[in-house]
PDB file of all heavy atoms in Angstrom:
ATOM      1  N   LEU N1429     -12.548  14.386   8.222  1.00 93.00           N
ATOM      2  CA  LEU N1429     -13.921  13.900   8.299  1.00 93.00           C
ATOM      3  C   LEU N1429     -13.948  12.409   8.588  1.00 93.00           C
ATOM      4  O   LEU N1429     -13.052  11.669   8.166  1.00 93.00           O
ATOM      5  CB  LEU N1429     -14.652  14.145   6.972  1.00 93.00           C
ATOM      6  CG  LEU N1429     -14.709  15.573   6.442  1.00 93.00           C
ATOM      7  CD1 LEU N1429     -15.451  15.600   5.109  1.00 93.00           C
ATOM      8  CD2 LEU N1429     -15.366  16.500   7.449  1.00 93.00           C
ATOM      9  N   ILE N1432     -18.971   7.246   7.384  1.00 97.00           N
ATOM     10  CA  ILE N1432     -19.514   5.933   7.746  1.00 97.00           C
ATOM     11  C   ILE N1432     -20.398   5.490   6.591  1.00 97.00           C
ATOM     12  O   ILE N1432     -21.535   5.950   6.437  1.00 97.00           O
ATOM     13  CB  ILE N1432     -20.313   5.975   9.071  1.00 97.00           C
ATOM     14  CG1 ILE N1432     -19.458   6.581  10.195  1.00 97.00           C
ATOM     15  CG2 ILE N1432     -20.758   4.581   9.474  1.00 97.00           C
ATOM     16  CD1 ILE N1432     -19.832   7.983  10.581  1.00 97.00           C
ATOM     17  N   LEU N1442     -16.098   9.742  -2.768  1.00 96.00           N
ATOM     18  CA  LEU N1442     -16.078  10.845  -1.813  1.00 96.00           C
ATOM     19  C   LEU N1442     -14.654  11.163  -1.342  1.00 96.00           C
ATOM     20  O   LEU N1442     -14.280  12.328  -1.217  1.00 96.00           O
ATOM     21  CB  LEU N1442     -16.971  10.528  -0.617  1.00 96.00           C
ATOM     22  CG  LEU N1442     -18.477  10.672  -0.867  1.00 96.00           C
ATOM     23  CD1 LEU N1442     -19.265  10.165   0.336  1.00 96.00           C
ATOM     24  CD2 LEU N1442     -18.849  12.122  -1.154  1.00 96.00           C
ATOM     25  N   ARG N1448      -9.388  16.562  -3.324  1.00 89.00           N
ATOM     26  CA  ARG N1448      -9.140  17.705  -4.203  1.00 89.00           C
ATOM     27  C   ARG N1448      -9.322  19.031  -3.471  1.00 89.00           C
ATOM     28  O   ARG N1448      -8.895  20.077  -3.949  1.00 89.00           O
ATOM     29  CB  ARG N1448     -10.066  17.644  -5.420  1.00 89.00           C
ATOM     30  CG  ARG N1448      -9.725  16.516  -6.383  1.00 89.00           C
ATOM     31  CD  ARG N1448     -10.431  16.666  -7.705  1.00 89.00           C
ATOM     32  NE  ARG N1448     -11.852  16.410  -7.608  1.00 89.00           N
ATOM     33  CZ  ARG N1448     -12.414  15.212  -7.751  1.00 89.00           C
ATOM     34  NH1 ARG N1448     -11.649  14.139  -7.986  1.00 89.00           N
ATOM     35  NH2 ARG N1448     -13.713  15.057  -7.660  1.00 89.00           N
ATOM     36  N   ILE N1451      -9.060  17.846   2.051  1.00 87.00           N
ATOM     37  CA  ILE N1451      -9.796  17.360   3.218  1.00 87.00           C
ATOM     38  C   ILE N1451      -9.512  15.879   3.408  1.00 87.00           C
ATOM     39  O   ILE N1451      -9.685  15.084   2.484  1.00 87.00           O
ATOM     40  CB  ILE N1451     -11.314  17.600   3.053  1.00 87.00           C
ATOM     41  CG1 ILE N1451     -11.604  19.109   2.964  1.00 87.00           C
ATOM     42  CG2 ILE N1451     -12.089  16.979   4.209  1.00 87.00           C
ATOM     43  CD1 ILE N1451     -13.055  19.442   2.654  1.00 87.00           C
ATOM     44  N   ASP N1472     -13.641  16.862  12.450  1.00 87.00           N
ATOM     45  CA  ASP N1472     -14.386  18.115  12.315  1.00 87.00           C
ATOM     46  C   ASP N1472     -15.857  17.853  12.059  1.00 87.00           C
ATOM     47  O   ASP N1472     -16.711  18.668  12.438  1.00 87.00           O
ATOM     48  CB  ASP N1472     -13.798  18.946  11.172  1.00 87.00           C
ATOM     49  CG  ASP N1472     -12.388  19.405  11.485  1.00 87.00           C
ATOM     50  OD1 ASP N1472     -12.250  20.371  12.258  1.00 87.00           O
ATOM     51  OD2 ASP N1472     -11.435  18.797  10.982  1.00 87.00           O
ATOM     52  N   ASN N1497     -21.130  14.414  22.946  1.00 84.00           N
ATOM     53  CA  ASN N1497     -20.285  14.760  21.814  1.00 84.00           C
ATOM     54  C   ASN N1497     -21.102  15.558  20.806  1.00 84.00           C
ATOM     55  O   ASN N1497     -22.109  15.081  20.288  1.00 84.00           O
ATOM     56  CB  ASN N1497     -19.741  13.480  21.172  1.00 84.00           C
ATOM     57  CG  ASN N1497     -18.669  13.757  20.131  1.00 84.00           C
ATOM     58  OD1 ASN N1497     -18.707  14.764  19.442  1.00 84.00           O
ATOM     59  ND2 ASN N1497     -17.713  12.846  20.022  1.00 84.00           N
ATOM     60  N   ALA N1515     -36.918  11.880  11.604  1.00 94.00           N
ATOM     61  CA  ALA N1515     -36.280  11.011  12.609  1.00 94.00           C
ATOM     62  C   ALA N1515     -34.799  11.337  12.733  1.00 94.00           C
ATOM     63  O   ALA N1515     -34.255  11.409  13.848  1.00 94.00           O
ATOM     64  CB  ALA N1515     -36.475   9.546  12.228  1.00 94.00           C
ATOM     65  N   GLU N1533     -23.038  20.836  -3.360  1.00 96.00           N
ATOM     66  CA  GLU N1533     -24.026  21.127  -2.325  1.00 96.00           C
ATOM     67  C   GLU N1533     -23.595  20.520  -0.988  1.00 96.00           C
ATOM     68  O   GLU N1533     -23.747  21.145   0.070  1.00 96.00           O
ATOM     69  CB  GLU N1533     -25.400  20.595  -2.708  1.00 96.00           C
ATOM     70  CG  GLU N1533     -26.459  20.924  -1.664  1.00 96.00           C
ATOM     71  CD  GLU N1533     -27.827  20.348  -1.972  1.00 96.00           C
ATOM     72  OE1 GLU N1533     -27.988  19.682  -3.013  1.00 96.00           O
ATOM     73  OE2 GLU N1533     -28.742  20.542  -1.136  1.00 96.00           O
ATOM     74  N   LEU N1548     -17.931  25.917  16.010  1.00 50.00           N
ATOM     75  CA  LEU N1548     -16.819  26.797  15.694  1.00 50.00           C
ATOM     76  C   LEU N1548     -15.575  26.384  16.473  1.00 50.00           C
ATOM     77  O   LEU N1548     -15.641  25.979  17.618  1.00 50.00           O
ATOM     78  CB  LEU N1548     -17.159  28.255  16.025  1.00 50.00           C
ATOM     79  CG  LEU N1548     -18.200  28.904  15.110  1.00 50.00           C
ATOM     80  CD1 LEU N1548     -18.489  30.310  15.605  1.00 50.00           C
ATOM     81  CD2 LEU N1548     -17.749  28.916  13.662  1.00 50.00           C
ATOM     82  N   PHE N1560      -2.501  31.360  14.049  1.00 91.00           N
ATOM     83  CA  PHE N1560      -3.198  30.257  13.389  1.00 91.00           C
ATOM     84  C   PHE N1560      -4.682  30.385  13.681  1.00 91.00           C
ATOM     85  O   PHE N1560      -5.088  30.485  14.844  1.00 91.00           O
ATOM     86  CB  PHE N1560      -2.674  28.906  13.882  1.00 91.00           C
ATOM     87  CG  PHE N1560      -3.368  27.733  13.244  1.00 91.00           C
ATOM     88  CD1 PHE N1560      -3.046  27.340  11.950  1.00 91.00           C
ATOM     89  CD2 PHE N1560      -4.360  27.040  13.920  1.00 91.00           C
ATOM     90  CE1 PHE N1560      -3.705  26.273  11.351  1.00 91.00           C
ATOM     91  CE2 PHE N1560      -5.023  25.976  13.330  1.00 91.00           C
ATOM     92  CZ  PHE N1560      -4.685  25.595  12.039  1.00 91.00           C
ATOM     93  N   ALA N1577       1.705  23.073   2.790  1.00 87.00           N
ATOM     94  CA  ALA N1577       1.039  21.895   2.247  1.00 87.00           C
ATOM     95  C   ALA N1577       0.057  21.364   3.292  1.00 87.00           C
ATOM     96  O   ALA N1577       0.152  21.685   4.486  1.00 87.00           O
ATOM     97  CB  ALA N1577       2.066  20.826   1.885  1.00 87.00           C
ATOM     98  N   GLU N1580       1.585  19.644   6.324  1.00 91.00           N
ATOM     99  CA  GLU N1580       2.336  20.603   7.127  1.00 91.00           C
ATOM    100  C   GLU N1580       1.376  21.432   7.981  1.00 91.00           C
ATOM    101  O   GLU N1580       1.641  21.709   9.154  1.00 91.00           O
ATOM    102  CB  GLU N1580       3.152  21.523   6.216  1.00 91.00           C
ATOM    103  CG  GLU N1580       4.279  20.816   5.479  1.00 91.00           C
ATOM    104  CD  GLU N1580       4.840  21.656   4.351  1.00 91.00           C
ATOM    105  OE1 GLU N1580       4.464  22.843   4.246  1.00 91.00           O
ATOM    106  OE2 GLU N1580       5.636  21.133   3.557  1.00 91.00           O
ATOM    107  N   ALA N1591       0.688  24.505  22.248  1.00 87.00           N
ATOM    108  CA  ALA N1591       1.945  25.253  22.309  1.00 87.00           C
ATOM    109  C   ALA N1591       2.487  25.288  23.736  1.00 87.00           C
ATOM    110  O   ALA N1591       1.748  25.497  24.690  1.00 87.00           O
ATOM    111  CB  ALA N1591       1.734  26.670  21.784  1.00 87.00           C
ATOM    112  N   LEU N1607      -6.824   6.636   8.392  1.00 67.00           N
ATOM    113  CA  LEU N1607      -6.772   5.220   8.778  1.00 67.00           C
ATOM    114  C   LEU N1607      -6.203   4.345   7.677  1.00 67.00           C
ATOM    115  O   LEU N1607      -5.578   3.319   7.944  1.00 67.00           O
ATOM    116  CB  LEU N1607      -8.184   4.737   9.129  1.00 67.00           C
ATOM    117  CG  LEU N1607      -8.844   5.392  10.346  1.00 67.00           C
ATOM    118  CD1 LEU N1607     -10.281   4.912  10.478  1.00 67.00           C
ATOM    119  CD2 LEU N1607      -8.065   5.081  11.612  1.00 67.00           C
ATOM    120  N   ALA N1628      10.895  29.030   9.517  1.00 94.00           N
ATOM    121  CA  ALA N1628      12.141  29.790   9.618  1.00 94.00           C
ATOM    122  C   ALA N1628      12.247  30.798   8.472  1.00 94.00           C
ATOM    123  O   ALA N1628      12.635  31.955   8.682  1.00 94.00           O
ATOM    124  CB  ALA N1628      13.336  28.838   9.597  1.00 94.00           C
ATOM    125  N   ASP N1631      10.294  33.749   9.146  1.00 95.00           N
ATOM    126  CA  ASP N1631      10.685  34.445  10.381  1.00 95.00           C
ATOM    127  C   ASP N1631       9.502  34.506  11.347  1.00 95.00           C
ATOM    128  O   ASP N1631       9.113  35.577  11.828  1.00 95.00           O
ATOM    129  CB  ASP N1631      11.191  35.855  10.053  1.00 95.00           C
ATOM    130  CG  ASP N1631      11.881  36.506  11.251  1.00 95.00           C
ATOM    131  OD1 ASP N1631      12.349  35.772  12.144  1.00 95.00           O
ATOM    132  OD2 ASP N1631      11.919  37.751  11.290  1.00 95.00           O
ATOM    133  N   TYR N1644       7.206  16.205  20.101  1.00 93.00           N
ATOM    134  CA  TYR N1644       7.678  17.519  19.682  1.00 93.00           C
ATOM    135  C   TYR N1644       6.992  18.587  20.515  1.00 93.00           C
ATOM    136  O   TYR N1644       5.914  18.400  21.059  1.00 93.00           O
ATOM    137  CB  TYR N1644       7.378  17.767  18.206  1.00 93.00           C
ATOM    138  CG  TYR N1644       8.106  16.822  17.270  1.00 93.00           C
ATOM    139  CD1 TYR N1644       7.530  15.603  16.910  1.00 93.00           C
ATOM    140  CD2 TYR N1644       9.350  17.145  16.740  1.00 93.00           C
ATOM    141  CE1 TYR N1644       8.198  14.747  16.049  1.00 93.00           C
ATOM    142  CE2 TYR N1644      10.021  16.295  15.893  1.00 93.00           C
ATOM    143  CZ  TYR N1644       9.439  15.085  15.548  1.00 93.00           C
ATOM    144  OH  TYR N1644      10.100  14.234  14.694  1.00 93.00           O
TER     145      TYR N1644
END
Side-chain angles (χ1 to χ4, degrees):
L1429 304 179
I1432 306 106
L1442 283 173
R1448 290 193 289 271
I1451 297 174
D1472 294 282
N1497 190 327
E1533 182 183 0
L1548 290 177
F1560 179 78
E1580 293 166 8
L1607 296 174
D1631 192 23
Y1644 296 89

